[in-house]
Amino acid sequence: MAAVGAEARGAWCVPCLVSLDTLQELCRKEKLTCKSIGITKRNLNNYEVEYLCDYKVVKDMEYYLVKWKGWPDSTNTWEPLQNLKCPLLLQQFSNDKHNYLSQVNKGKAITPKDNNKTLKPAIAEYIVKKAKQRIALQRWQDELNRRKNHKGMIFVENTVDLEGPPSDFYYINEYKPAPGISLVNEATFGCSCTDCFFEKCCPAEAGVLLAYNKNQQIKIPPGTPIYECNSRCQCGPDCPNRIVQKGTQYSLCIFRTSNGRGWGVKTLVKIKRMSFVMEYVGEVITSEEAERRGQLYDNKGITYLFDLDYESDEFTVDAARYGNVSHFVNHSCDPNLQVFNVFIDNLDTRLPRIALFSTRTINAGEELTFDYQMKGYGDLSSDSVDHSPAKKRVRTVCKCGAVTCRGYLN
């Protein structure tokens, strides 16, 4: 069984609970105050434009149908353009209208006719859906940034379709053990170095080289494990051997791809070659459970399974429901990220942490990818192709578009 899958996934994401706006709408409808959700006597009857729903011209005067923030749809009102002080929302309305007309005209550039007195119902419906999507994605973005524990910010963007946040994905920052699996996250010993770059440190104790140079770039070849300083080490947080544990330092964007690969991840800043980018986290399960889930995922054409087979093949990481930004990273047969096994507080070689490092300079705006068949020891997985005649495995077509594309993800 090979590594993960984002481009071949279904819809996964954040659970839909009762939103703050819904609670505020209920309070205002029933004329109730509730300080915990921001409804007080002072603002109970306040009106703020949330988004614009429709457009019409009456006696040469332009009107927009306004959805008021915190108020139910039944309170929407037509307001003259001259009364609206929301230039961003007006621009979004115009852009959404133009995008819809461009789509129905098969992407051809068009000039909307401004002399239309009303919008067609289909256009107004699309504009409302885009407005609701924009709000939902902003809430999801805020939720992701509340949950993350690293420096880099997370942004969300969809300019392609009406897909909103996934409905069954839970953001986590570290491995989540399945019932019956114990993760010992406390090291039994640590270094006493004053300068870990020059002294005999944790890597030397493990019989390997220090993984990083003075520029915090990885200098060891793929397949070599990384041993970082741990919680028992006497060195401080600025130790040159504490890179992965500091988390993602770059601002990244989860975006909707335009070539049918679902969500993807791109960097918003330049990333130097051989730099740590992110960890791959998820639910830690047994290999037996991974085999069972793998058959289900194969039938759906999706998989997020990553075998922890650095020394043994007892455990697998499943990032289908639990994961971080790496959940959305797409595959490429010519990737710009490389997998490394990392040991910090948990030194159990059956349970390495999975870190992704850049293989080259990655420019701002460029999509991040790694090879789903790449193992932590640097070789391609042979498990993804089953040569047994007794078992036919569903194969997922690769859409990476690389010159070296192998044609399939598994």
Side-chain angles (χ1 to χ4, degrees):
M1 199 175 302
V4 294
E7 72 176 32
R9 71 178 168 294
W12 304 97
C13 223
V14 180
C16 294
L17 304 177
V18 178
S19 69
L20 176 63
D21 284 350
T22 299
L23 294 175
Q24 290 176 338
E25 289 175 6
L26 290 172
C27 283
R28 287 198 165 101
K29 184 178 180 180
E30 300 299 328
K31 302 297 182 181
L32 300 174
T33 60
C34 182
K35 291 183 179 180
S36 62
I37 61 172
I39 302 298
T40 63
K41 290 183 178 179
R42 177 174 295 181
N43 66 15
L44 181 62
N45 295 312
N46 282 5
Y47 287 85
E48 176 186 348
V49 179
E50 185 170 25
Y51 57 87
L52 304 173
C53 309
D54 205 345
Y55 169 86
K56 67 181 180 181
V57 177
V58 179
K59 295 181 179 179
D60 295 326
M61 182 172 288
E62 296 180 275
Y63 289 85
Y64 286 86
L65 184 60
V66 174
K67 166 64 173 70
W68 300 105
K69 187 174 183 179
W71 292 86
D73 290 345
S74 59
T75 62
N76 292 0
T77 58
W78 287 97
E79 300 294 331
L81 174 59
Q82 64 189 32
N83 289 356
L84 298 177
K85 310 300 181 185
C86 50
L88 178 59
L89 295 179
L90 287 165
Q91 186 61 54
Q92 289 175 345
F93 185 95
S94 176
N95 292 343
D96 292 341
K97 172 186 172 183
H98 185 270
N99 289 340
Y100 176 84
L101 294 173
S102 296
Q103 290 174 22
V104 298
N105 284 275
K106 299 181 180 180
K108 295 180 181 179
I110 61 170
T111 302
K113 297 180 180 179
D114 294 329
N115 58 352
N116 289 339
K117 300 297 183 181
T118 60
L119 289 183
K120 292 182 179 180
I123 300 177
E125 181 182 357
Y126 174 83
I127 289 173
V128 170
K129 286 181 178 179
K130 284 299 294 183
K132 290 182 176 180
Q133 177 203 50
R134 200 173 285 117
I135 293 170
L137 292 179
Q138 181 62 52
R139 288 175 181 161
W140 182 37
Q141 176 179 300
D142 293 341
E143 177 68 14
L144 294 176
N145 283 292
R146 280 194 296 269
R147 291 184 177 275
K148 73 174 179 65
N149 64 356
H150 52 75
K151 177 182 177 181
M153 296 295 293
I154 302 172
F155 296 87
V156 179
E157 172 187 291
N158 184 353
T159 60
V160 174
D161 55 30
L162 292 170
E163 187 73 17
S167 59
D168 195 22
F169 174 72
Y170 303 85
Y171 193 95
I172 58 175
N173 292 295
E174 56 188 21
Y175 284 162
K176 175 183 173 62
I181 296 178
S182 176
L183 298 180
V184 179
N185 287 315
E186 184 176 354
T188 56
F189 63 88
C191 72
S192 56
C193 304
T194 56
D195 190 337
C196 294
F197 194 79
F198 293 103
E199 299 179 46
K200 185 177 181 181
C201 192
C202 299
E205 292 292 339
V208 297
L209 297 174
L210 180 70
Y212 311 113
N213 62 24
K214 292 183 178 181
N215 296 320
Q216 301 184 347
Q217 295 168 297
I218 195 162
K219 65 178 184 180
I220 58 175
T224 306
I226 299 171
Y227 280 82
E228 292 196 356
C229 291
N230 58 58
S231 58
R232 287 188 176 271
C233 294
Q234 296 182 20
C235 54
D238 295 328
C239 168
N241 194 35
R242 296 182 185 271
I243 302 299
V244 172
Q245 59 195 269
K246 290 181 179 179
T248 300
Q249 302 295 299
Y250 307 103
S251 291
L252 305 175
C253 179
I254 301 171
F255 74 104
R256 195 71 175 170
T257 63
S258 59
N259 56 358
R261 292 182 299 140
W263 296 100
V265 179
K266 61 183 177 182
T267 177
L268 298 180
V269 295
K270 183 178 180 179
I271 299 176
K272 294 181 179 180
R273 64 184 300 271
M274 312 308 287
S275 297
F276 169 67
V277 179
M278 68 180 77
E279 276 193 79
Y280 189 85
V281 302
E283 182 183 13
V284 178
I285 59 177
T286 63
S287 294
E288 292 78 12
E289 174 63 13
E291 186 65 31
R292 185 190 71 80
R293 295 187 188 185
Q295 293 177 8
L296 296 175
Y297 294 160
D298 283 348
N299 292 332
K300 296 179 180 179
I302 61 173
T303 179
Y304 293 88
L305 300 175
F306 198 111
D307 295 336
L308 299 179
D309 52 3
Y310 169 65
E311 279 196 355
S312 64
D313 194 16
E314 294 183 44
F315 301 106
T316 296
V317 176
D318 183 1
R321 296 189 67 200
Y322 301 94
N324 59 3
V325 175
S326 64
H327 167 98
F328 301 97
V329 175
N330 276 315
H331 161 85
S332 175
C333 297
D334 184 20
N336 52 25
L337 299 179
Q338 169 70 50
V339 174
F340 281 86
N341 292 297
V342 184
F343 299 94
I344 306 176
D345 280 322
N346 188 344
L347 301 179
D348 187 340
T349 55
R350 300 172 304 164
L351 293 164
R353 291 164 68 163
I354 303 301
L356 299 173
F357 286 77
S358 58
T359 60
R360 56 175 175 79
T361 299
I362 306 174
N363 294 317
E366 188 174 347
E367 183 175 2
L368 302 176
T369 60
F370 72 98
D371 193 329
Y372 288 177
Q373 295 185 28
M374 185 66 70
K375 296 290 184 150
Y377 44 78
D379 295 331
L380 290 179
S381 165
S382 59
D383 298 338
S384 59
V385 181
D386 193 339
H387 300 287
S388 171
K391 178 182 175 183
K392 290 186 178 180
R393 191 164 190 177
V394 178
R395 303 199 71 186
T396 304
V397 175
C398 179
K399 300 178 182 178
C400 75
V403 175
T404 56
C405 181
R406 296 187 296 271
Y408 294 92
L409 293 180
N410 54 0

mmCIF file of all heavy atoms in Angstrom, residues 51-56 63-65 87-99 119 123-124 127-128 134:
data_model
loop_
_atom_site.group_PDB
_atom_site.id
_atom_site.type_symbol
_atom_site.label_atom_id
_atom_site.label_comp_id
_atom_site.label_asym_id
_atom_site.label_seq_id
_atom_site.Cartn_x
_atom_site.Cartn_y
_atom_site.Cartn_z
ATOM 1 N N TYR A 51 -24.042 40.481 2.336
ATOM 2 C CA TYR A 51 -23.772 40.314 0.909
ATOM 3 C C TYR A 51 -24.973 40.793 0.100
ATOM 4 O O TYR A 51 -26.046 41.080 0.661
ATOM 5 C CB TYR A 51 -23.415 38.863 0.555
ATOM 6 C CG TYR A 51 -24.444 37.823 0.936
ATOM 7 C CD1 TYR A 51 -25.500 37.506 0.081
ATOM 8 C CD2 TYR A 51 -24.331 37.102 2.125
ATOM 9 C CE1 TYR A 51 -26.428 36.527 0.416
ATOM 10 C CE2 TYR A 51 -25.251 36.126 2.470
ATOM 11 C CZ TYR A 51 -26.298 35.845 1.614
ATOM 12 O OH TYR A 51 -27.209 34.888 1.950
ATOM 13 N N LEU A 52 -24.774 40.921 -1.199
ATOM 14 C CA LEU A 52 -25.819 41.403 -2.107
ATOM 15 C C LEU A 52 -26.368 40.233 -2.902
ATOM 16 O O LEU A 52 -25.612 39.397 -3.404
ATOM 17 C CB LEU A 52 -25.246 42.464 -3.044
ATOM 18 C CG LEU A 52 -24.579 43.652 -2.339
ATOM 19 C CD1 LEU A 52 -23.901 44.571 -3.349
ATOM 20 C CD2 LEU A 52 -25.599 44.424 -1.507
ATOM 21 N N CYS A 53 -27.699 40.158 -3.004
ATOM 22 C CA CYS A 53 -28.364 38.975 -3.569
ATOM 23 C C CYS A 53 -28.891 39.170 -4.988
ATOM 24 O O CYS A 53 -28.989 38.199 -5.745
ATOM 25 C CB CYS A 53 -29.547 38.567 -2.691
ATOM 26 S SG CYS A 53 -29.176 38.381 -0.948
ATOM 27 N N ASP A 54 -29.282 40.398 -5.329
ATOM 28 C CA ASP A 54 -29.960 40.604 -6.609
ATOM 29 C C ASP A 54 -29.827 42.072 -7.013
ATOM 30 O O ASP A 54 -29.335 42.899 -6.237
ATOM 31 C CB ASP A 54 -31.434 40.199 -6.495
ATOM 32 C CG ASP A 54 -32.047 39.794 -7.824
ATOM 33 O OD1 ASP A 54 -31.441 40.092 -8.870
ATOM 34 O OD2 ASP A 54 -33.141 39.188 -7.817
ATOM 35 N N TYR A 55 -30.326 42.361 -8.220
ATOM 36 C CA TYR A 55 -30.165 43.710 -8.773
ATOM 37 C C TYR A 55 -31.354 44.025 -9.672
ATOM 38 O O TYR A 55 -31.882 43.153 -10.363
ATOM 39 C CB TYR A 55 -28.875 43.779 -9.577
ATOM 40 C CG TYR A 55 -28.696 45.030 -10.420
ATOM 41 C CD1 TYR A 55 -28.139 46.182 -9.876
ATOM 42 C CD2 TYR A 55 -29.079 45.049 -11.763
ATOM 43 C CE1 TYR A 55 -27.961 47.323 -10.638
ATOM 44 C CE2 TYR A 55 -28.906 46.190 -12.539
ATOM 45 C CZ TYR A 55 -28.348 47.330 -11.976
ATOM 46 O OH TYR A 55 -28.174 48.457 -12.736
ATOM 47 N N LYS A 56 -31.772 45.297 -9.640
ATOM 48 C CA LYS A 56 -32.830 45.728 -10.557
ATOM 49 C C LYS A 56 -32.739 47.242 -10.749
ATOM 50 O O LYS A 56 -32.101 47.949 -9.958
ATOM 51 C CB LYS A 56 -34.206 45.347 -10.025
ATOM 52 C CG LYS A 56 -34.639 46.081 -8.752
ATOM 53 C CD LYS A 56 -36.015 45.615 -8.298
ATOM 54 C CE LYS A 56 -36.453 46.348 -7.024
ATOM 55 N NZ LYS A 56 -37.791 45.885 -6.559
ATOM 56 N N TYR A 63 -31.100 49.407 -7.763
ATOM 57 C CA TYR A 63 -31.366 48.830 -6.448
ATOM 58 C C TYR A 63 -30.651 47.482 -6.319
ATOM 59 O O TYR A 63 -30.523 46.737 -7.298
ATOM 60 C CB TYR A 63 -32.863 48.604 -6.227
ATOM 61 C CG TYR A 63 -33.674 49.867 -6.048
ATOM 62 C CD1 TYR A 63 -34.146 50.573 -7.157
ATOM 63 C CD2 TYR A 63 -33.978 50.340 -4.777
ATOM 64 C CE1 TYR A 63 -34.899 51.730 -6.997
ATOM 65 C CE2 TYR A 63 -34.742 51.504 -4.608
ATOM 66 C CZ TYR A 63 -35.189 52.190 -5.728
ATOM 67 O OH TYR A 63 -35.937 53.329 -5.560
ATOM 68 N N TYR A 64 -30.225 47.181 -5.102
ATOM 69 C CA TYR A 64 -29.645 45.872 -4.792
ATOM 70 C C TYR A 64 -30.428 45.240 -3.647
ATOM 71 O O TYR A 64 -30.820 45.925 -2.681
ATOM 72 C CB TYR A 64 -28.180 46.003 -4.380
ATOM 73 C CG TYR A 64 -27.246 46.307 -5.528
ATOM 74 C CD1 TYR A 64 -27.020 47.626 -5.939
ATOM 75 C CD2 TYR A 64 -26.587 45.281 -6.200
ATOM 76 C CE1 TYR A 64 -26.171 47.908 -6.997
ATOM 77 C CE2 TYR A 64 -25.721 45.563 -7.259
ATOM 78 C CZ TYR A 64 -25.524 46.875 -7.649
ATOM 79 O OH TYR A 64 -24.676 47.153 -8.707
ATOM 80 N N LEU A 65 -30.638 43.921 -3.755
ATOM 81 C CA LEU A 65 -31.281 43.186 -2.671
ATOM 82 C C LEU A 65 -30.214 42.828 -1.645
ATOM 83 O O LEU A 65 -29.241 42.134 -1.962
ATOM 84 C CB LEU A 65 -31.952 41.916 -3.205
ATOM 85 C CG LEU A 65 -32.741 41.089 -2.185
ATOM 86 C CD1 LEU A 65 -33.875 41.899 -1.577
ATOM 87 C CD2 LEU A 65 -33.270 39.806 -2.841
ATOM 88 N N PRO A 87 -18.148 49.156 -1.035
ATOM 89 C CA PRO A 87 -17.545 49.012 -2.366
ATOM 90 C C PRO A 87 -17.008 47.619 -2.654
ATOM 91 O O PRO A 87 -17.079 47.142 -3.785
ATOM 92 C CB PRO A 87 -16.428 50.063 -2.357
ATOM 93 C CG PRO A 87 -16.173 50.361 -0.909
ATOM 94 C CD PRO A 87 -17.488 50.205 -0.230
ATOM 95 N N LEU A 88 -16.464 46.938 -1.632
ATOM 96 C CA LEU A 88 -15.926 45.599 -1.852
ATOM 97 C C LEU A 88 -17.038 44.626 -2.236
ATOM 98 O O LEU A 88 -16.886 43.823 -3.170
ATOM 99 C CB LEU A 88 -15.204 45.106 -0.596
ATOM 100 C CG LEU A 88 -14.638 43.674 -0.673
ATOM 101 C CD1 LEU A 88 -13.639 43.554 -1.816
ATOM 102 C CD2 LEU A 88 -13.993 43.289 0.651
ATOM 103 N N LEU A 89 -18.167 44.689 -1.523
ATOM 104 C CA LEU A 89 -19.283 43.793 -1.828
ATOM 105 C C LEU A 89 -19.880 44.095 -3.198
ATOM 106 O O LEU A 89 -20.282 43.183 -3.931
ATOM 107 C CB LEU A 89 -20.353 43.895 -0.745
ATOM 108 C CG LEU A 89 -19.946 43.430 0.654
ATOM 109 C CD1 LEU A 89 -21.098 43.602 1.633
ATOM 110 C CD2 LEU A 89 -19.492 41.975 0.610
ATOM 111 N N LEU A 90 -19.930 45.355 -3.565
ATOM 112 C CA LEU A 90 -20.425 45.737 -4.888
ATOM 113 C C LEU A 90 -19.496 45.200 -5.977
ATOM 114 O O LEU A 90 -19.963 44.712 -7.017
ATOM 115 C CB LEU A 90 -20.550 47.254 -4.992
ATOM 116 C CG LEU A 90 -21.704 47.883 -4.205
ATOM 117 C CD1 LEU A 90 -21.514 49.393 -4.093
ATOM 118 C CD2 LEU A 90 -23.046 47.572 -4.874
ATOM 119 N N GLN A 91 -18.190 45.252 -5.728
ATOM 120 C CA GLN A 91 -17.235 44.738 -6.700
ATOM 121 C C GLN A 91 -17.339 43.217 -6.808
ATOM 122 O O GLN A 91 -17.271 42.656 -7.906
ATOM 123 C CB GLN A 91 -15.817 45.147 -6.304
ATOM 124 C CG GLN A 91 -14.752 44.769 -7.333
ATOM 125 C CD GLN A 91 -14.985 45.436 -8.675
ATOM 126 O OE1 GLN A 91 -15.115 46.655 -8.760
ATOM 127 N NE2 GLN A 91 -15.046 44.637 -9.743
ATOM 128 N N GLN A 92 -17.493 42.537 -5.670
ATOM 129 C CA GLN A 92 -17.657 41.093 -5.684
ATOM 130 C C GLN A 92 -18.915 40.689 -6.440
ATOM 131 O O GLN A 92 -18.914 39.720 -7.208
ATOM 132 C CB GLN A 92 -17.706 40.547 -4.249
ATOM 133 C CG GLN A 92 -16.376 40.596 -3.535
ATOM 134 C CD GLN A 92 -16.474 40.175 -2.085
ATOM 135 O OE1 GLN A 92 -17.561 40.101 -1.504
ATOM 136 N NE2 GLN A 92 -15.328 39.887 -1.481
ATOM 137 N N PHE A 93 -19.996 41.436 -6.247
ATOM 138 C CA PHE A 93 -21.253 41.178 -6.955
ATOM 139 C C PHE A 93 -21.031 41.283 -8.460
ATOM 140 O O PHE A 93 -21.437 40.409 -9.240
ATOM 141 C CB PHE A 93 -22.314 42.187 -6.496
ATOM 142 C CG PHE A 93 -23.678 41.944 -7.069
ATOM 143 C CD1 PHE A 93 -24.635 41.219 -6.373
ATOM 144 C CD2 PHE A 93 -24.031 42.457 -8.315
ATOM 145 C CE1 PHE A 93 -25.904 41.000 -6.906
ATOM 146 C CE2 PHE A 93 -25.295 42.254 -8.856
ATOM 147 C CZ PHE A 93 -26.231 41.515 -8.143
ATOM 148 N N SER A 94 -20.352 42.335 -8.877
ATOM 149 C CA SER A 94 -20.087 42.550 -10.296
ATOM 150 C C SER A 94 -19.187 41.456 -10.862
ATOM 151 O O SER A 94 -19.429 40.930 -11.960
ATOM 152 C CB SER A 94 -19.438 43.919 -10.499
ATOM 153 O OG SER A 94 -19.090 44.135 -11.846
ATOM 154 N N ASN A 95 -18.148 41.073 -10.095
ATOM 155 C CA ASN A 95 -17.234 40.027 -10.551
ATOM 156 C C ASN A 95 -17.942 38.684 -10.681
ATOM 157 O O ASN A 95 -17.736 37.947 -11.658
ATOM 158 C CB ASN A 95 -16.061 39.893 -9.579
ATOM 159 C CG ASN A 95 -15.142 41.099 -9.601
ATOM 160 O OD1 ASN A 95 -15.175 41.906 -10.530
ATOM 161 N ND2 ASN A 95 -14.323 41.236 -8.573
ATOM 162 N N ASP A 96 -18.779 38.355 -9.688
ATOM 163 C CA ASP A 96 -19.497 37.076 -9.730
ATOM 164 C C ASP A 96 -20.455 37.033 -10.905
ATOM 165 O O ASP A 96 -20.602 35.997 -11.565
ATOM 166 C CB ASP A 96 -20.253 36.855 -8.416
ATOM 167 C CG ASP A 96 -19.322 36.628 -7.232
ATOM 168 O OD1 ASP A 96 -18.144 36.293 -7.464
ATOM 169 O OD2 ASP A 96 -19.767 36.792 -6.086
ATOM 170 N N LYS A 97 -21.109 38.142 -11.169
ATOM 171 C CA LYS A 97 -22.017 38.230 -12.313
ATOM 172 C C LYS A 97 -21.256 37.997 -13.616
ATOM 173 O O LYS A 97 -21.683 37.210 -14.473
ATOM 174 C CB LYS A 97 -22.696 39.606 -12.323
ATOM 175 C CG LYS A 97 -23.528 39.910 -13.567
ATOM 176 C CD LYS A 97 -24.026 41.347 -13.517
ATOM 177 C CE LYS A 97 -24.685 41.764 -14.827
ATOM 178 N NZ LYS A 97 -25.097 43.191 -14.803
ATOM 179 N N HIS A 98 -20.124 38.640 -13.763
ATOM 180 C CA HIS A 98 -19.320 38.505 -14.977
ATOM 181 C C HIS A 98 -18.776 37.088 -15.120
ATOM 182 O O HIS A 98 -18.768 36.518 -16.229
ATOM 183 C CB HIS A 98 -18.170 39.518 -14.968
ATOM 184 C CG HIS A 98 -17.370 39.534 -16.230
ATOM 185 N ND1 HIS A 98 -16.260 38.725 -16.395
ATOM 186 C CD2 HIS A 98 -17.525 40.219 -17.395
ATOM 187 C CE1 HIS A 98 -15.761 38.919 -17.603
ATOM 188 N NE2 HIS A 98 -16.496 39.820 -18.230
ATOM 189 N N ASN A 99 -18.330 36.486 -14.003
ATOM 190 C CA ASN A 99 -17.806 35.120 -14.051
ATOM 191 C C ASN A 99 -18.868 34.126 -14.482
ATOM 192 O O ASN A 99 -18.604 33.211 -15.272
ATOM 193 C CB ASN A 99 -17.249 34.720 -12.680
ATOM 194 C CG ASN A 99 -15.966 35.453 -12.345
ATOM 195 O OD1 ASN A 99 -15.281 35.967 -13.226
ATOM 196 N ND2 ASN A 99 -15.652 35.528 -11.063
ATOM 197 N N LEU A 119 -31.898 40.983 -13.156
ATOM 198 C CA LEU A 119 -31.035 39.837 -13.400
ATOM 199 C C LEU A 119 -31.879 38.586 -13.619
ATOM 200 O O LEU A 119 -32.946 38.437 -13.023
ATOM 201 C CB LEU A 119 -30.117 39.586 -12.201
ATOM 202 C CG LEU A 119 -28.974 40.569 -11.936
ATOM 203 C CD1 LEU A 119 -28.157 40.080 -10.749
ATOM 204 C CD2 LEU A 119 -28.087 40.723 -13.158
ATOM 205 N N ILE A 123 -28.679 33.807 -12.592
ATOM 206 C CA ILE A 123 -27.520 34.639 -12.256
ATOM 207 C C ILE A 123 -27.568 35.030 -10.777
ATOM 208 O O ILE A 123 -26.573 34.945 -10.065
ATOM 209 C CB ILE A 123 -27.481 35.899 -13.141
ATOM 210 C CG1 ILE A 123 -27.396 35.523 -14.614
ATOM 211 C CG2 ILE A 123 -26.303 36.786 -12.757
ATOM 212 C CD1 ILE A 123 -27.429 36.701 -15.569
ATOM 213 N N ALA A 124 -28.742 35.465 -10.326
ATOM 214 C CA ALA A 124 -28.891 35.854 -8.923
ATOM 215 C C ALA A 124 -28.623 34.669 -7.994
ATOM 216 O O ALA A 124 -27.975 34.820 -6.945
ATOM 217 C CB ALA A 124 -30.293 36.402 -8.683
ATOM 218 N N ILE A 127 -24.868 34.137 -7.775
ATOM 219 C CA ILE A 127 -24.225 35.191 -6.982
ATOM 220 C C ILE A 127 -24.414 34.934 -5.493
ATOM 221 O O ILE A 127 -23.477 35.103 -4.690
ATOM 222 C CB ILE A 127 -24.791 36.571 -7.377
ATOM 223 C CG1 ILE A 127 -24.283 36.952 -8.782
ATOM 224 C CG2 ILE A 127 -24.403 37.635 -6.357
ATOM 225 C CD1 ILE A 127 -24.904 38.214 -9.342
ATOM 226 N N VAL A 128 -25.599 34.481 -5.096
ATOM 227 C CA VAL A 128 -25.867 34.176 -3.686
ATOM 228 C C VAL A 128 -25.020 32.979 -3.239
ATOM 229 O O VAL A 128 -24.447 32.975 -2.142
ATOM 230 C CB VAL A 128 -27.361 33.905 -3.460
ATOM 231 C CG1 VAL A 128 -27.601 33.346 -2.058
ATOM 232 C CG2 VAL A 128 -28.168 35.189 -3.642
ATOM 233 N N ARG A 134 -18.085 32.151 -0.106
ATOM 234 C CA ARG A 134 -17.010 33.036 0.342
ATOM 235 C C ARG A 134 -17.015 33.155 1.871
ATOM 236 O O ARG A 134 -15.952 33.129 2.519
ATOM 237 C CB ARG A 134 -17.197 34.409 -0.312
ATOM 238 C CG ARG A 134 -15.967 35.267 -0.351
ATOM 239 C CD ARG A 134 -16.232 36.526 -1.163
ATOM 240 N NE ARG A 134 -16.256 36.262 -2.599
ATOM 241 C CZ ARG A 134 -17.309 36.422 -3.379
ATOM 242 N NH1 ARG A 134 -18.455 36.853 -2.874
ATOM 243 N NH2 ARG A 134 -17.216 36.163 -4.666
#
